[in-house]
């Protein structure tokens, strides 16, 4: 019953987000449809899709495998730079499609290489080491002249908001689909076992090293894809816009608010929070950031299992529930 | 006689200054049931951790069905057929009992990799076998303490091991629960699986183990049939000394 | 040769700054098992207090250090008591997130109040230095170094010689036993966090005299503190001092290596971090 409802909701949401953008001012006029959205709203939807990718991809390594990476933004940046380098007229000068192909590959290879040492670390050590990796990658790239140094790279401008919306939305659908597939496969069961108790998983035969690396690489590839699409869309990348540490934390916050370790939680968290941010301040005001900080605190204290747990899990919207959950974690 | 299933030779493990295992050697044959006893801190759990390759040895070697365990990964040891429980249970807490057991079935053996659906079928069988029948749908937190022990056994068993390592799975159970657990161990053994069972409950050791190994301060003190071994003055002293020590600790209030 | 000597002096003095940056972080991590991602923000708050008092009242930056410490202690105490105590038994990842949230809020409040302009504190003696043959020792850096070591010594004394210190140690080694002998856990945790924040405040006051500050300058400090603690090892003031001094050497000589430069400061720090974590996860002085 419940899965039937979920299926209907999913299909309806996919249909809505596929068709609705056709009603943006220009394409709507061209096709004779009513104009329901303006361009900035479409761009808003594209950004929301981008955060769905980042959050759901983070969920694969952080939520399923239980390795809360604070450095996933590095993969976003690497993907963006890969696409930018291949398409920038002064460098690769290749078509966007080719550039996009590189965007998941480069971060995947990097994740494979850095994953071996990083995924041996646990807890705090893993989180901070990944945070450090992201900062270091941004810094090194910022210092590399052939990557444009601090100025950055400039992929050719392609004026089609609709194209980039569909690319980003496609990436989001792909990420959610991959998560869905993983959770049903042997891989997903192994990852959750690793999250719950890594040594117990190992003595039951789970190849923990391999599984953690796979999760990390898959997350990196999907995150990189979003970076690649962003590079084409924004037609300008540098450290400041594709390596912001804030993104790392934002994706974690979205996943946790929604409910990490589930399929729908990260989607709900990303859509809800990003929509809220856009409604409030267009995304970058000082007060929005303060609000994010407060939300982080509230989530961590009151909603450790995310809002989705009230729908599909065991949390109940009662005072007693909050009391019990608080008592479990406080002194 | 054919080569033993498990062969330990001069196994040594140190933690800083403490030598937890000191040149431990013994064998275990295919399908054999051996008891491993010794006072608290003797090194029993450490030995299990070495067997399942959670620890690296500081000396000696462990061979399982002819393979040197030191050369294998932790999961490879498991897939080769070494299953174990943890003295302090380590369930996957977000999962139901059935899902816990299915993990063992999914990953435990290279011989026939089970698809998830098949693994859940195996899990149901094993759950019945260890006496968890009807409680597979419960979350770990909803299980009683004895049932969590059963879950440890079920999970290990679902890997279809050739050797099962049981670390004090009966500690803290009441007599009727112990009797039940004993039946389970006998049933597992009857299905041809070799078992190394660590237990403080002597009734268990005497009741089911044809052979016991006594560990004391990391050394093999003695090895033989339970009735002889338990009467040996050295074993009595090891345990009495321990019990005495425990009484002293208890009266200080931190035992 | 004289260049080398000069670099060595600067490296050691820089190490002192790192000691100050890391000491409170180390305390909070070691005792509460919290990686305090708002540590850098606390440092910046301390720096702004010193800057404000210097700019408005002309108060000498070194005289404002006790005020930094008191203000940050209060902030830290309240944060722990009101927020962090509520998730202290949750998975460590949650305290990480919570302190990042605090960080975000503080940094952006600072941005709202002070704008993103860089500020510096320049007392009249700012440019002076002691000349020792070919080597010049900047007097402000020397003073900052001395105060950093003094801070470390004070903290060490506090931990070993006072009732508060004893309570803190007891809580760290066994929470339940400490509670049994009548230690107020919530208060002790809050005290610990407050002391950690106070150390950050002092570090901020010191830093404002040697570097330009801005609201967003805190993040590298947190990372540096982490690296210093990993380098020295968790659990003692001495380890942090050793880690800080060593890290000063690594930074100065690392950045002067061919092909690198000041732009690589974080990358070097991070590389050191990962190498230490993999080769000797318990740190140099850790057990
Ligand atoms: N990870 C470890 N680090 C340091 N010392 C350890 C570690 N594990 C075990 N030891 C020490 O090794 C010795 C053997 O411990 P072990 O847990 O193997 O004993 P045991 O025989 O299982 O005892 P019990 O009957 O209480 O379970 C003890 O002195 C213990 O303190
Ligand atoms: Mg034991």
């Amino acid at each position: 019953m419940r899965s039937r409802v979920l299926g209907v909701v999913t299909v309806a949401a996919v249909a809505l987000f596929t068709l609705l953008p056709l009603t943006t001012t220009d394409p709507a006029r061209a096709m004779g449809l009513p104009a329901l959205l303006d361009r900035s709203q479409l761009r808003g939807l594209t950004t929301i899709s981008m955060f769905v990718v980042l959050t759901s991809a983070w969920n694969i390594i952080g939520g399923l495998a239980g390795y809360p990476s604070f450095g996933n933004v590095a993969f976003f940046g690497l993907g963006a730079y890969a696409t930018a380098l291949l398409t920038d007229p002064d460098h690769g000068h290749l078509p966007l499609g080719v550039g996009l192909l590189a965007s998941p590959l480069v971060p995947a290879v990097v994740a494979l290489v850095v994953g071996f040492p990083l995924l041996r670390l646990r807890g705090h050590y893993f989180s901070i080491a990944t945070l450090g990796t992201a900062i270091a990658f941004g810094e090194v790239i910022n210092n590399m002249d052939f990557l444009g140094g601090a100025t950055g790279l400039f992929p050719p401008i392609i004026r089609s908001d609709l194209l980039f919306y569909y690319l980003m939305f496609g990436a989001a659908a792909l990420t959610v689909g991959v998560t869905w597939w993983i959770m049903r496969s042997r891989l997903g069961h192994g990852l959750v076992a690793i999250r719950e108790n890594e040594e117990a998983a190992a003595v039951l035969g789970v190849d923990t090293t391999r599984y953690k690396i796979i999760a990390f690489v898959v997350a990196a590839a999907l995150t990189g894809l979003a970076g690649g699409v962003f590079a084409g869309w924004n037609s300008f990348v540098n450290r400041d816009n594709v390596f912001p540490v804030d993104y790392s934390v934002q994706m974690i916050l979205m996943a946790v608010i929604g409910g990490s370790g589930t399929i729908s939680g990260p989607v709900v968290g990303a859509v809800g929070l990003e929509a809220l941010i856009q409604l409030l301040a267009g995304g970058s005001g000082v007060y929005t950031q303060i609000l994010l900080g407060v939300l982080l605190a509230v989530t961590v204290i009151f909603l450790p299992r995310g809002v989705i747990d009230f729908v599909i899990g065991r949390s109940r919207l009662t005072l007693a529930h909050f009391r019990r959950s608080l008592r479990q974690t406080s002194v | 006689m054919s080569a033993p299933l498990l062969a330990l030779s001069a196994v040594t493990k140190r933690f800083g200054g403490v030598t937890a295992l000191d040149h431990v050697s013994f064998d275990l044959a295919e399908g054999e049931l051996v008891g491993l006893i010794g006072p608290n801190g003797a090194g029993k759990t450490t030995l299990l951790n070495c067997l399942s390759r959670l620890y690296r040895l500081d000396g000696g070697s462990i061979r399982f069905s002819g393979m040197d365990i030191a050369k294998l990964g932790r999961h490879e040891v498991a897939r080769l057929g070494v299953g174990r429980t943890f003295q302090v249970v380590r369930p996957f807490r977000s999962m139901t009992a059935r899902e816990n057991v299915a993990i063992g079935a999914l990953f435990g053996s290279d011989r026939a990799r089970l698809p998830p659906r098949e693994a859940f079928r195996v899990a149901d069988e094993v759950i019945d076998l260890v006496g968890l029948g009807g409680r597979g749908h419960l979350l770990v937190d909803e299980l009683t303490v004895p049932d969590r022990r059963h879950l440890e056994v079920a999970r290990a068993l679902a890997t279809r091991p050739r050797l099962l390592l049981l670390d004090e799975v009966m500690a803290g159970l009441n007599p009727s629960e112990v009797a039940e657990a004993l039946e389970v161990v006998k049933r597992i053994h009857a299905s041809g699986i070799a078992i190394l069972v660590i237990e403080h409950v002597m009734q268990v050791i005497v009741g089911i183990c044809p052979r016991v190994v006594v560990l004391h301060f990391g050394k093999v003190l003695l090895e033989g049939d339970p009735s002889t071994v338990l009467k040996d003055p050295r074993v009595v002293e090891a345990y009495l000394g321990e019990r005495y020590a425990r009484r002293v600790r208890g009266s200080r209030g931190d035992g | 040769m004289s260049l080398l000597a000069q670099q060595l002096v600067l490296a050691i003095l820089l190490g002192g700054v790192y000691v100050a940056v890391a000491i409170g972080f180390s305390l909070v991590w070691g005792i509460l098992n919290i990686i305090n991602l708002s540590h850098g923000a606390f440092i910046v708050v301390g720096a702004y207090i010193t800057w404000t008092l210097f700019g408005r009242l002309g108060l000498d930056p070194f005289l404002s250090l006790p005020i930094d410490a008191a203000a940050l202690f209060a902030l830290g105490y309240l944060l722990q008591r009101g927020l962090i105590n509520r998730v202290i038994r949750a998975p460590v990842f949650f305290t990480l997130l919570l302190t990042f949230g605090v960080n975000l809020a503080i940094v952006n409040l600072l941005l709202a109040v002070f704008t993103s302009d860089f500020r510096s504190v320049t007392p009249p003696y700012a440019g002076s230095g002691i000349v020792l043959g070919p080597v010049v020792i900047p007097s402000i850096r020397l003073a900052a170094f001395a105060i950093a070591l003094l801070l470390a010594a004070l903290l060490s004394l506090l931990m070993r010689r006072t009732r508060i210190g004893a309570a803190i140690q007891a809580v760290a080694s066994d929470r339940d036993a400490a509670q049994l002998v009548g230690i107020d856990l919530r208060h002790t945790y809050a005290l610990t966090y407050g002391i950690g924040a106070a150390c950050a405040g002092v570090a901020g006051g010191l830093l404002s005299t040697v570097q330009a500050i801005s609201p967003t300058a805190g993040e590298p400090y947190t990372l540096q503190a982490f690296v210093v603690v990993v380098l020295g090892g968790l659990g003692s003031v001495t380890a942090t001092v050793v880690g800080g001094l060593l890290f000063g050497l690594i930074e100065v000589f690392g950045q002067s290596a061919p092909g690198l430069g000041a732009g690589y400061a974080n990358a070097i720090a991070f590389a050191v971090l990962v190498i230490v974590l993999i080769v000797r996860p318990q740190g140099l002085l850790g057990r």
Side-chain angles (χ1 to χ4, degrees):
Chain A
M1 181 58 211
R2 185 170 275 178
S3 71
R4 163 94 43 92
V5 172
L6 267 174
V8 171
V9 170
T10 310
V11 171
V14 170
L16 177 67
F17 286 106
T18 310
L19 298 178
L20 185 64
L22 294 175
T23 66
T24 314
T25 321
D26 291 345
R29 193 174 306 139
M31 288 179 286
L33 293 169
L36 300 176
L37 293 181
D38 63 26
R39 277 190 56 200
S40 81
Q41 285 168 328
L42 181 64
R43 295 181 71 92
L45 284 182
T46 311
T47 309
I48 289 177
S49 302
M50 181 176 99
F51 276 102
V52 171
V53 180
L54 301 188
T55 305
S56 292
W58 179 88
N59 184 49
I60 295 172
I61 182 70
L64 292 181
Y67 275 71
S69 162
F70 272 63
N72 269 20
V73 73
F75 304 129
F76 182 79
L78 287 167
Y81 263 92
T83 299
L85 190 67
L86 290 181
T87 55
D88 184 325
D90 295 339
H91 295 84
H93 204 27
L94 294 164
L96 178 66
V98 181
L100 283 182
L101 280 183
S103 64
L105 290 180
V106 172
V109 171
V110 170
L112 186 66
V113 175
V114 300
F116 275 98
L118 288 177
L119 290 162
R120 287 174 53 181
L121 307 170
R122 289 191 194 176
H124 293 327
Y125 293 96
F126 176 76
S127 295
I128 304 288
T130 46
L131 177 67
T133 314
I135 292 172
F137 267 110
E139 198 169 79
V140 169
I141 285 175
N142 201 44
N143 278 298
M144 296 230 249
D145 287 335
F146 86 99
L147 291 177
T151 324
L153 296 171
F154 298 87
I157 296 171
I158 299 172
R159 284 189 203 285
S160 171
D161 285 321
L162 207 54
L163 168 70
F164 287 108
Y165 169 77
Y166 281 120
L167 284 174
M168 207 59 106
F169 181 69
L174 177 68
T175 308
V176 175
V178 167
T179 311
W180 181 85
W181 176 80
I182 287 178
M183 287 191 69
R184 257 149 203 74
S185 70
R186 181 187 301 273
L187 174 62
H189 289 92
L191 292 178
V192 173
I194 290 172
R195 177 186 76 201
E196 295 298 316
N197 195 313
E198 192 161 341
E199 290 196 334
V203 304
L204 291 174
V206 179
D207 186 346
T208 52
T209 309
R210 188 163 146 251
Y211 272 29
K212 288 188 293 185
I213 297 266
I214 292 175
F216 201 45
V217 167
V218 170
L222 292 165
T223 309
L225 181 59
V229 176
F230 176 84
W233 183 36
N234 200 51
S235 56
F236 161 48
V237 304
N238 73 350
R239 171 175 63 175
D240 293 340
N241 70 14
V242 297
F243 281 95
V245 170
D246 292 359
Y247 274 15
S248 279
V249 180
Q250 210 154 312
M251 50 183 117
I252 300 173
L253 172 60
M254 288 170 170
V256 175
I257 280 195
S260 73
T262 64
I263 302 173
S264 48
V267 178
V268 169
V271 173
L273 195 55
E274 182 55 29
L276 179 70
I277 290 173
Q278 288 180 15
L279 287 178
L280 283 177
S284 61
V286 163
Y287 294 99
T288 314
Q289 297 287 312
I290 296 176
L291 178 82
L292 271 185
V294 173
L295 260 182
L296 254 176
V298 170
T299 307
V300 168
I301 294 175
F302 294 105
L303 301 169
R305 302 163 135 271
V307 292
I308 203 72
D309 204 56
F310 292 98
V311 184
I312 62 170
R314 297 179 178 234
S315 300
R316 295 284 163 266
L317 259 179
T318 61
L319 209 57
H321 168 78
F322 287 111
R323 279 228 197 86
R324 187 156 9 97
S325 130
L326 254 186
R327 214 176 21 242
Q328 275 170 7
T329 58
S330 49
V331 291
Chain B
M1 229 187 104
S2 61
L5 179 65
L6 176 73
L8 289 84
S9 81
V11 170
T12 302
K13 176 73 198 170
R14 294 184 202 91
F15 295 110
V18 182
T19 304
L21 293 175
D22 190 358
H23 292 84
V24 172
S25 306
F26 66 87
D27 290 352
L28 198 147
E30 190 90 48
E32 202 185 1
L33 175 55
V34 175
L36 180 64
I37 64 170
N40 290 114
K44 306 179 294 292
T45 300
T46 305
L47 186 67
L48 248 53
N49 287 341
C50 290
L51 285 175
S52 52
R53 249 266 11 226
L54 293 183
Y55 292 161
R56 287 195 173 281
L57 300 187
D58 293 316
S61 74
I62 300 174
R63 301 184 80 79
F64 179 77
S65 91
M67 304 273 278
D68 184 352
I69 279 183
K71 295 203 178 74
L72 302 175
R74 301 180 298 187
H75 66 284
E76 288 171 317
V77 174
R79 291 184 189 173
L80 204 58
V82 180
R84 70 165 290 173
T85 68
F86 288 98
Q87 182 175 357
V88 179
V89 296
R90 295 189 186 184
F92 304 126
R93 285 189 53 197
S94 70
M95 302 182 192
T96 62
R98 184 165 176 262
E99 287 166 338
N100 265 274
V101 180
I103 295 292
L106 263 178
F107 292 95
S109 177
D110 270 339
R111 280 167 289 170
R113 304 204 88 193
L114 300 177
R117 187 190 303 265
E118 199 55 10
F120 277 99
R121 200 186 46 73
V122 172
D124 288 334
E125 280 173 25
V126 176
I127 279 182
D128 285 339
L129 179 74
V130 302
L132 270 174
R135 299 195 284 293
H137 63 285
L138 293 180
L139 281 177
V140 172
D141 286 347
E142 297 163 340
L143 293 178
T144 62
V145 172
D147 276 352
R148 289 181 206 183
R149 293 270 169 71
H150 291 143
L151 182 62
E152 281 285 317
V153 179
R155 218 169 48 172
L157 203 55
T159 67
R160 287 153 291 159
R162 291 164 70 193
L163 169 64
L164 184 60
L165 310 168
L166 299 177
D167 196 349
E168 300 199 25
V169 288
M170 301 178 209
L173 301 193
N174 69 33
S176 74
E177 288 163 351
V178 167
E180 241 170 73
L182 259 180
E183 282 312 307
V184 172
V185 174
K186 278 186 195 156
R187 240 178 286 155
I188 296 170
H189 183 226
S191 72
I193 297 172
I195 304 180
L196 182 67
V197 49
I198 297 179
E199 221 34 88
H200 278 306
V201 186
M202 287 307 155
Q203 167 204 353
V204 175
I205 299 295
V206 179
I208 59 172
C209 301
R211 184 160 74 96
V212 293
V213 175
V214 186
L215 221 50
H216 188 38
F217 286 130
K219 290 197 177 77
V220 175
L221 187 66
L222 207 66
E223 159 174 10
D225 78 281
S227 48
T228 334
V229 163
L230 289 180
K231 282 195 207 95
D232 191 284
R234 287 169 294 174
V235 176
V236 174
E237 195 199 301
Y239 269 91
L240 273 187
E242 159 63 21
R243 203 170 298 157
Y244 179 67
R246 210 186 314 174
R247 202 156 63 219
V248 173
R249 260 187 275 143
S251 67
R252 284 214 321 265
D254 60 0
Chain C
M1 191 59 224
S2 70
L3 178 69
L4 192 68
Q6 181 69 55
Q7 272 193 328
L8 193 64
V9 167
L10 289 180
I12 292 172
L13 295 182
L14 181 65
V17 173
Y18 286 137
V19 172
V21 164
I23 197 125
F25 185 83
S26 166
L27 176 77
V28 169
W29 185 359
I31 305 291
L32 303 179
N33 196 27
I34 293 173
I35 297 293
N36 183 16
L37 290 184
S38 50
H39 188 75
F42 290 166
I43 291 178
V44 174
V45 171
Y48 270 101
I49 295 175
T50 294
W51 178 78
T52 309
L53 292 174
F54 177 74
R56 291 279 162 81
L57 309 175
L59 187 66
D60 184 277
F62 289 98
L63 293 181
S64 66
L65 293 180
I67 302 173
D68 297 342
L72 267 298
F73 174 83
L75 176 65
Y77 187 95
L78 292 176
L79 276 174
Q80 179 74 30
R81 193 89 203 216
L83 291 182
I84 306 173
N85 270 346
R86 316 223 173 272
V87 296
I88 197 108
R89 293 194 311 184
V92 289
F93 158 61
F94 282 91
T95 50
L96 218 55
L97 272 186
L98 180 54
T99 56
F100 189 88
V102 171
N103 177 69
L104 211 55
I106 293 179
V107 168
N108 285 284
L109 274 174
L110 289 174
L111 276 171
V113 178
F114 294 103
T115 75
S116 61
D117 295 347
F118 279 88
R119 316 282 183 179
S120 50
V121 178
T122 45
Y125 46 86
S128 69
I130 304 163
V131 181
L132 276 181
V135 176
V136 182
I137 305 176
S139 33
I140 283 208
R141 281 179 181 263
L142 185 63
F145 178 83
I147 291 174
L149 292 194
L150 184 69
L151 184 67
L154 280 178
L155 185 65
S156 177
L157 267 182
L158 176 83
M159 293 300 285
R160 282 183 296 135
R161 293 289 157 78
T162 64
R163 278 178 64 87
I164 295 173
I168 290 175
Q169 305 262 19
V171 164
S173 66
D174 189 336
R175 173 157 55 197
D176 298 332
Q179 214 164 10
L180 280 179
V181 298
I183 293 174
D184 179 351
L185 273 190
R186 292 175 196 170
H187 175 65
T188 311
Y189 280 2
L191 272 180
T192 311
Y193 195 81
I195 294 170
C199 292
V202 174
L206 291 177
L207 275 166
S208 72
T209 64
V210 299
Q211 304 179 350
I213 53 163
S214 80
T216 52
E219 182 191 289
Y221 299 142
T222 308
L223 192 66
Q224 286 157 2
F226 189 87
V227 177
V228 167
V229 175
V230 169
L231 205 55
L234 198 56
S236 80
V237 174
T238 323
T240 308
V241 172
V242 171
L245 293 178
L246 196 61
F247 188 52
L249 290 169
I250 293 172
E251 281 280 82
V252 167
F253 288 98
Q255 286 176 27
S256 64
L260 298 179
Y264 286 95
N266 286 313
I268 294 170
F270 158 72
V272 170
L273 172 77
V274 169
I275 292 169
V276 174
L277 280 179
I278 286 159
V279 177
R280 201 177 152 78
Q282 73 275 41
L284 295 174
L285 297 192
R287 287 133 298 155

